[in-house]
Amino acid sequence: RRVSVLNADVSVGSVGKGVFFEAKNANFRAGRRHDGTTEFTVDGKIRYDDYQSVISSRFVMDKNNPAIEGTVEFKGVEISTLAKLFVRWPDYFDITMPVSGTCFVSLDQEGSLQRLRFNVDGGQGKFTSSLFPAPFEIGWLHSEGQISNNGGDIQIDKLSGEVDGMQMEGSGVVSLKENDAAIKINASLKNIPGDRVPVLWPPGLSPLSREWVVTNIAAESIPEARISTNIAFGDLQRDVLPKESIDASIAIKNAKIKYLPEHPETTKVDAVVHIDGVALDAAIESAHFLSDTKISKGRVLIEDLNAENPYIKVGFDAHAPAGDVVKFLELPRLGHAQRLNLRSEQAQGSAKGHV
């Protein structure tokens, strides 16, 4: 037995959220297969807002199995419209981007989502969020993973793409509960312009750590940044994130770092900066200070970025002209040069050692 409905006009939505999209000239077919299961197929073009997309699906229902399972193929569907069919879309971010791909969907007989596996490719789009100070332009995106727990858990097995010209890779799990989220991710960005750091680091995420880094470190380029998060429900509402919630590593090239407000900048810094929810630990490969002081094997440690006046531990190997040594001793918080009756313009020679 088989039933066909051709060239139908259909609206799909929910009582609470209204109409998601409308389909014109859609074709429905239903029939019983030899194994006793019932197969449903749908194909057609759907319209929503100013968009039109091709979509087809095939579902199978077995009276001995409480689940309804099937596949959905789509081309050029806006991701937010597609996602709202299956997940509780948070109100603090939005993505506008056409996606194409396939989904395997498992529903219970009341229509609640049990599991959705997806493999999608996205074109050019935009990501905006109240968590970030500026939007991000998406060049392309590929994602594989699954959604479960009635849309409450989103697992990303593979994520890659281009965002604002930067190369992105990642994986992780995001769990949603009302307007809160638990976030466990591993991600990397490559080829980051130095001036993008204030945009990439959300102001509400470890804000005091962010303020110190944004204020005191200016990098010309960042070859790569990696971050792992272990943010639990409730953490995003805290003033300060727990230490273990963030584990970030940032490689910087040709940067300027200002350790103390009264001291000159350290320039031409090549380093790897490690940041967690509380501390900053930077390994300095090479740097330049004052007129011609060359720094290597350095370390900058701030054990509590959340302190009002954080204590900074600095150590490094230095090769410096004598004049720079005296200038260093003249700087505020040191002030030894005057007591020793030393003048930088009269100093001659050079010095080498560990500070």
Side-chain angles (χ1 to χ4, degrees):
R1 290 176 293 176
R2 179 168 292 273
V3 176
S4 298
V5 179
L6 305 178
N7 298 320
D9 293 343
V10 182
S11 296
V12 178
S14 69
V15 174
K17 298 181 180 179
V19 175
F20 293 124
F21 59 77
E22 295 180 340
K24 300 292 185 181
N25 307 118
N27 299 319
F28 294 81
R29 295 178 177 85
R32 189 173 299 279
R33 304 195 305 179
H34 294 300
D35 59 5
T37 60
T38 302
E39 180 183 76
F40 301 89
T41 62
V42 182
D43 63 81
K45 291 183 178 180
I46 61 173
R47 292 181 173 86
Y48 49 96
D49 298 331
D50 296 328
Y51 303 99
Q52 178 174 286
S53 306
V54 177
I55 191 167
S56 62
S57 63
R58 174 182 172 273
F59 284 86
V60 175
M61 184 170 61
D62 186 347
K63 65 180 179 180
N64 298 316
N65 185 346
I68 304 171
E69 298 180 341
T71 58
V72 179
E73 297 182 7
F74 46 91
K75 183 178 180 180
V77 178
E78 269 298 314
I79 188 171
S80 58
T81 298
L82 180 67
K84 287 174 184 177
L85 294 174
F86 305 109
V87 301
R88 299 184 295 275
W89 197 252
D91 58 8
Y92 48 80
F93 73 80
D94 191 32
I95 304 175
T96 55
M97 178 179 62
V99 294
S100 302
T102 60
C103 293
F104 171 83
V105 184
S106 178
L107 309 169
D108 64 23
Q109 291 186 345
E110 294 181 355
S112 297
L113 179 67
Q114 302 302 299
R115 185 165 62 96
L116 181 149
R117 288 204 59 83
F118 56 86
N119 188 322
V120 299
D121 291 286
Q124 293 184 343
K126 181 178 289 188
F127 172 84
T128 57
S129 171
S130 59
L131 301 176
F132 291 91
F136 296 93
E137 298 293 332
I138 301 171
W140 62 271
L141 200 68
H142 174 79
S143 182
E144 301 173 24
Q146 72 173 17
I147 301 171
S148 57
N149 189 24
N150 198 21
D153 294 327
I154 304 172
Q155 176 179 319
I156 306 295
D157 298 323
K158 182 179 181 180
L159 177 67
S160 57
E162 180 186 281
V163 179
D164 282 352
M166 300 172 287
Q167 304 303 310
M168 174 183 66
E169 292 184 355
S171 62
V173 177
V174 178
S175 297
L176 306 175
K177 183 171 65 176
E178 297 177 351
N179 277 328
D180 198 4
I183 306 170
K184 294 184 178 182
I185 64 169
N186 294 289
S188 68
L189 277 175
K190 295 181 179 180
N191 304 322
I192 307 168
D195 59 2
R196 296 298 288 169
V197 173
V199 177
L200 292 167
W201 192 331
L205 188 61
S206 195
L208 297 180
S209 303
R210 177 187 183 275
E211 181 181 3
W212 195 94
V213 171
V214 169
T215 302
N216 295 284
I217 300 178
E220 183 175 287
S221 65
I222 301 175
E224 184 175 17
R226 293 181 176 274
I227 183 170
S228 296
T229 69
N230 187 18
I231 299 172
F233 285 118
D235 282 353
L236 293 176
Q237 277 69 50
R238 297 186 180 192
D239 292 333
V240 177
L241 285 172
K243 180 180 178 68
E244 64 277 5
S245 63
I246 299 291
D247 184 6
S249 179
I250 306 170
I252 59 176
K253 292 288 186 181
N254 200 24
K256 297 178 181 179
I257 299 180
K258 198 172 187 65
Y259 300 111
L260 295 169
E262 309 94 336
H263 287 203
E265 293 178 329
T266 301
T267 61
K268 300 179 181 178
V269 179
D270 290 352
V272 176
V273 182
H274 178 263
I275 303 168
D276 57 34
V278 175
L280 178 147
D281 194 351
I284 309 296
E285 179 182 334
S286 62
H288 190 275
F289 188 57
L290 295 175
S291 68
D292 196 26
T293 297
K294 296 177 175 60
I295 293 173
S296 61
K297 298 179 181 179
R299 187 187 184 195
V300 178
L301 176 62
I302 306 176
E303 294 180 335
D304 186 3
L305 285 165
N306 301 311
E308 184 174 345
N309 188 17
Y311 186 71
I312 304 174
K313 297 179 181 178
V314 180
F316 51 86
D317 288 349
H319 188 186
D324 277 8
V325 175
V326 177
K327 284 182 181 179
F328 180 72
L329 294 173
E330 291 174 347
L331 293 173
R333 305 196 189 192
L334 295 172
H336 301 309
Q338 186 175 4
R339 291 197 297 270
L340 296 173
N341 197 29
L342 298 175
R343 296 179 181 276
S344 58
E345 66 273 10
Q346 296 175 350
Q348 297 181 356
S350 62
K352 186 176 181 180
H354 183 79
V355 178

